[in-house]
Amino acid sequence: MSVPAPAPSTAYGRARSTRLRVTGSLPGPESTLPAFTPLRALSPVEVGPDAPAGMAERVAYGRLGSPLPYALQSDYARHDERVELPALELANGLMTATVLPTLGGRVWSLYDEARGRELLHVNPVLRFANFGLTDAWFAGGIEWNLGSTGHTSLSSRPMHAAVLPGAAGECGDVIRLWEWERTRDLVLQVDLWLRGDRLLASTRVVNPDPEPKPLYYWTNIAVPETSETRVLCPATHAWRTDYSGELRRVDVPHPDLTAVDISRPGASAMAADYFFEVAEQESRVIVAVESDGRGFAQTSTAALTGRKLFLWGSGPGGARWQEWLSGLDSAYAEIQAGVLPTQLEHTPLAGRAEVSWTEAFGAVDLAPSDVAGEYAAASGRAAAAVRIPELEDVHDHWRGEIADLSVDALVCTGSGWGHAELGLRGLDACPGAPALTFPEVDDASAVALAVLRGTSLDAGADRMPVPPVSDLWFDLLRQAPAHWWRDLALAVNHQLRGHLAAARAGYKASLAARPSAVAERGLALLADDVDSAVAHYARARSLDPDSRGLATEQLTLLICCGRPDHALQVIETLPDAVRRHGRTRLLEAVALTDADRADEARLIMDDVEVPDLAEGGLDLGDLWVRLHPDLPLPQRLDFRMHDDGARP
């Protein structure tokens, strides 16, 4: 049945391919080392007794045990050069959106032509840090997060993209982004289109399989933050997390002290997440405005139930992280929207089911007196100014008339895994989203296709040291003919599932057929004693001497086992590029400190810079305290996300 179109817009959106020139650098090759545990393991979460029905169960459900089958993206630097990125531009004379299909479909910029102002935090540098589920992540823009708690595995990877000319009727062209998200085997589709002075994102998540899957989705929006920024969301309470492991219900806007209003991000002392209680609202709205009333607004249809504010706080750690991610004088806050009340929750998405919603992003103009007023009144006026009563009808029109339109040609190609996964299932099209095209791509998925088709692995097996690990692929691999890569892939699957004896046997069988650093490293992880592990790491590095990941793991093992002198000997043998890396230099400083050579360690700490610092990590500060117990932590090393004596 045809769904009537919403009232026509006065501006026709046109999409075009372009190139975006930025300063920064791109990630290098993916790691060859399968990651069997999360980069940031979620600590047990304490949910307060006043939690709504089902929250504790949703917090305990669906936690991601590993980023596999994705490889880590840990090879990046902090040098600045001119980088040119493929981009898609969607403009209608009132609004211009710039989208980066090769970097997770991120909306890099949303420029309001009518008002002459940028609405998002446009990062002045393209700089990566260890914030993502698979490491590399960058700040800024609008990000589509499907997968599990944290920044999506797709964040720094290409998505399929196409332009649907005139698909939105009088609103014009549609930019479509889609990909097969492999940690959950869910399909993400985001259709972007302009309706007047609003960017619409009509999104659906499809479960192509008969069994239920854990669903997690959040849209992250980075907005500029000044000393005058105020974030408004009609709510009287929020659920707060502040890196303590506690999920606590607090009052909004004064969770602790009446003197601290968290609607003003700069007033908070330390970083925290505030998940606003908005489930009972007729529509969901969150805005970030300046004292003059000008700002950014997001609203959505009812299916996107959650709203969140993430603030860095005014402490030295928050300021340092902002400088690390975006450079000097480029502060931002994040306002977010998700399918559940908090980002610590997952909910089952039934087999062969889908969930969808439409978001609207754009400018908001409030009276300065409204922005300065009491929080509840200011939030109410903001909601009234932003609310789009017909948005549900717009979404129904998209779902009935646009969502299933086929594309003629891709303007950007994502991974080949959607094609491989459909082939594994014996399907020509994705159940629930048959119009989405998943082409065969000459990437690592070609190895999986060779297994699926029963063709030779000899030509391409080196291209995929991190194999697929779903139950479907595991079953197929067990039926495949003997081959060194097949044995390696089975060993990884067994190790992930805790079948340690089978994993050890698989690595040994693979090595017997052909030596490889990945198999030696697997045996190092499974070794019963330190000496055996060190020996396997040594053999692995001899096979892949330029692997920084192998060096980091071996050095970390030696330091943790109380062998700093041995670690320093290993460092002497590393190639220059590996030895000069900031992570290696930090490990060297730790080893020197443990070996009672503090003066040499202090020299390293004078100028060390570690590109892959992790959010919440305190290793730099901890080492400084050991080396300088009587000196304060320098600002350049202060990345503390929380402090036991301070509250946001």
Side-chain angles (χ1 to χ4, degrees):
M1 182 180 73
S2 177
V3 179
S9 171
T10 58
Y12 191 91
R14 295 190 182 278
R16 70 182 185 97
S17 297
T18 184
R19 307 288 292 184
L20 179 70
R21 294 175 178 84
V22 298
T23 298
S25 56
L26 290 169
E30 294 183 342
S31 172
T32 61
L33 308 178
F36 294 101
T37 57
L39 288 179
R40 279 163 295 284
L42 292 174
S43 59
V45 178
E46 179 185 342
V47 180
D50 48 358
M55 177 179 279
E57 290 78 8
R58 292 192 299 268
V59 168
Y61 168 71
R63 289 187 168 201
L64 195 64
S66 162
L68 289 172
Y70 285 102
L72 298 184
Q73 295 176 292
S74 301
D75 187 9
Y76 47 84
R78 290 179 56 79
H79 58 263
D80 290 334
E81 56 191 23
R82 297 301 290 170
V83 177
E84 191 172 274
L85 300 169
L88 295 170
E89 185 181 274
L90 184 62
N92 66 354
L94 301 175
M95 187 75 70
T96 299
T98 304
V99 182
L100 303 180
T102 60
L103 291 174
R106 186 83 61 98
V107 178
W108 175 263
S109 165
L110 187 60
Y111 190 80
D112 189 318
E113 304 285 353
R115 295 171 175 83
R117 66 182 192 247
E118 175 61 51
L119 301 180
L120 303 176
H121 168 61
V122 176
N123 203 326
V125 290
L126 183 62
R127 186 153 288 158
F128 292 84
N130 186 0
F131 276 53
L133 288 173
T134 57
D135 197 334
W137 174 86
F138 63 101
I142 303 175
E143 176 185 10
W144 326 105
N145 286 277
L146 174 68
S148 189
T149 304
H151 293 285
T152 175
S153 56
L154 301 176
S155 184
S156 300
R157 290 180 164 91
M159 293 185 71
H160 300 296
V163 173
L164 284 69
E170 293 193 30
C171 291
D173 300 344
V174 171
I175 292 176
R176 174 166 296 169
L177 306 162
W178 71 99
E179 187 53 279
W180 192 291
E181 201 285 324
R182 298 176 62 211
T183 65
R184 301 299 194 187
D185 280 330
L186 296 175
V187 174
L188 174 65
Q189 174 186 345
V190 182
D191 283 0
L192 300 173
W193 43 303
L194 294 172
R195 186 171 184 265
D197 61 354
R198 291 288 184 268
L199 172 68
L200 302 187
S202 294
T203 301
R204 68 173 165 181
V205 178
V206 178
N207 180 358
D209 293 317
E211 67 273 7
K213 309 275 185 65
L215 173 65
Y216 169 98
Y217 178 88
W218 281 78
T219 298
N220 289 9
I221 308 152
V223 293
E225 179 191 320
T226 72
S227 60
E228 303 296 322
T229 302
R230 195 172 195 194
V231 174
L232 301 171
C233 180
T236 59
H237 292 84
W239 289 87
R240 177 175 66 193
T241 61
D242 56 4
Y243 299 87
S244 66
E246 181 184 30
L247 186 59
R248 178 186 172 197
R249 189 173 186 257
V250 297
D251 293 333
V252 172
H254 304 292
D256 298 300
L257 305 172
T258 56
V260 177
D261 179 348
I262 61 100
S263 72
R264 303 183 185 278
S268 297
M270 304 300 287
D273 299 318
Y274 288 91
F275 301 99
F276 297 105
E277 285 191 343
V278 296
E280 302 305 318
Q281 291 183 13
E282 181 180 349
S283 62
R284 280 74 176 176
V285 170
I286 189 167
V287 306
V289 291
E290 297 301 314
S291 58
D292 62 2
R294 302 192 307 170
F296 171 89
Q298 185 271 359
T299 186
S300 75
T301 52
L304 209 59
T305 60
R307 291 297 182 275
K308 172 192 165 183
L309 163 65
F310 168 73
L311 49 84
W312 285 104
S314 59
R320 182 65 177 116
W321 269 119
Q322 300 229 49
E323 178 187 350
W324 184 261
L325 295 169
S326 299
L328 291 169
D329 303 320
S330 188
Y332 73 94
E334 287 184 7
I335 56 176
Q336 306 179 16
V339 296
L340 289 168
T342 78
Q343 287 177 331
L344 300 178
E345 301 170 77
H346 300 75
T347 192
L349 180 60
R352 301 276 197 261
E354 68 171 70
V355 62
S356 65
W357 56 84
T358 290
E359 297 176 80
F361 312 98
V364 64
D365 291 294
L366 303 176
S369 58
D370 289 341
V371 176
E374 187 267 334
Y375 178 79
S379 296
R381 288 188 169 86
V386 173
R387 190 172 291 124
I388 303 174
E390 70 275 18
L391 195 57
E392 294 285 354
D393 293 335
V394 171
H395 177 71
D396 289 343
H397 172 72
W398 169 79
R399 189 65 192 87
E401 303 296 322
I402 301 173
D404 290 325
L405 291 176
S406 60
V407 301
D408 292 332
L410 276 67
V411 295
C412 178
T413 300
S415 78
W417 282 104
H419 183 83
E421 295 290 349
L422 289 175
L424 177 65
R425 290 159 174 79
L427 300 170
D428 295 324
C430 177
L436 295 183
T437 300
F438 289 98
E440 185 171 345
V441 180
D442 186 22
D443 60 10
S445 65
V447 183
L449 285 175
V451 175
L452 184 63
R453 294 165 179 168
T455 56
S456 174
L457 290 169
D458 292 337
D462 285 321
R463 301 173 61 186
M464 193 167 62
V466 180
V469 295
S470 71
D471 289 344
L472 289 174
W473 283 109
F474 189 31
D475 289 342
L476 183 67
L477 287 166
R478 284 186 287 193
Q479 301 168 28
H483 188 274
W484 71 265
W485 182 86
R486 178 258 195 186
D487 291 331
L488 177 65
L490 282 175
V492 171
N493 273 268
H494 281 300
Q495 186 169 352
L496 180 65
R497 290 164 171 81
H499 310 156
L500 303 189
R504 191 176 289 109
Y507 287 129
K508 289 180 177 179
S510 180
L511 285 169
R514 203 196 80 162
S516 73
V518 179
E520 289 285 4
R521 181 262 193 167
L523 290 175
L525 294 177
L526 297 173
D528 294 325
D529 58 82
V530 176
D531 289 335
S532 296
V534 169
H536 284 299
Y537 272 123
R539 286 194 285 273
R541 287 199 307 103
S542 70
L543 292 166
D544 189 2
D546 296 322
S547 170
R548 188 175 63 81
L550 284 172
T552 297
E553 288 186 11
Q554 183 181 15
L555 294 173
T556 301
L557 172 67
L558 290 169
I559 291 170
C560 290
C561 292
R563 300 186 181 187
D565 292 324
H566 191 168
L568 293 171
Q569 293 170 9
V570 171
I571 289 171
E572 291 288 341
T573 69
L574 297 176
D576 286 346
V578 177
R579 183 171 183 178
R580 290 196 305 266
H581 191 275
R583 175 61 60 183
T584 309
R585 297 189 69 221
L586 177 61
L587 289 169
E588 183 177 7
V590 174
L592 288 167
T593 305
D594 290 349
D596 296 324
R597 295 163 60 180
D599 287 344
E600 296 170 74
R602 291 187 188 102
L603 291 176
I604 293 176
M605 293 297 287
D606 285 343
D607 66 350
V608 69
E609 184 177 73
V610 185
D612 57 338
L613 282 179
E615 178 183 9
L618 296 176
D619 43 9
L620 285 171
D622 292 345
L623 183 56
W624 176 269
V625 171
R626 291 183 62 194
L627 293 170
H628 301 281
D630 299 323
L631 295 179
L633 183 65
Q635 192 273 337
R636 67 180 180 84
L637 300 180
D638 193 348
F639 292 90
R640 290 173 294 178
M641 297 289 281
H642 66 91
D643 184 274
D644 292 338
R647 270 294 182 191

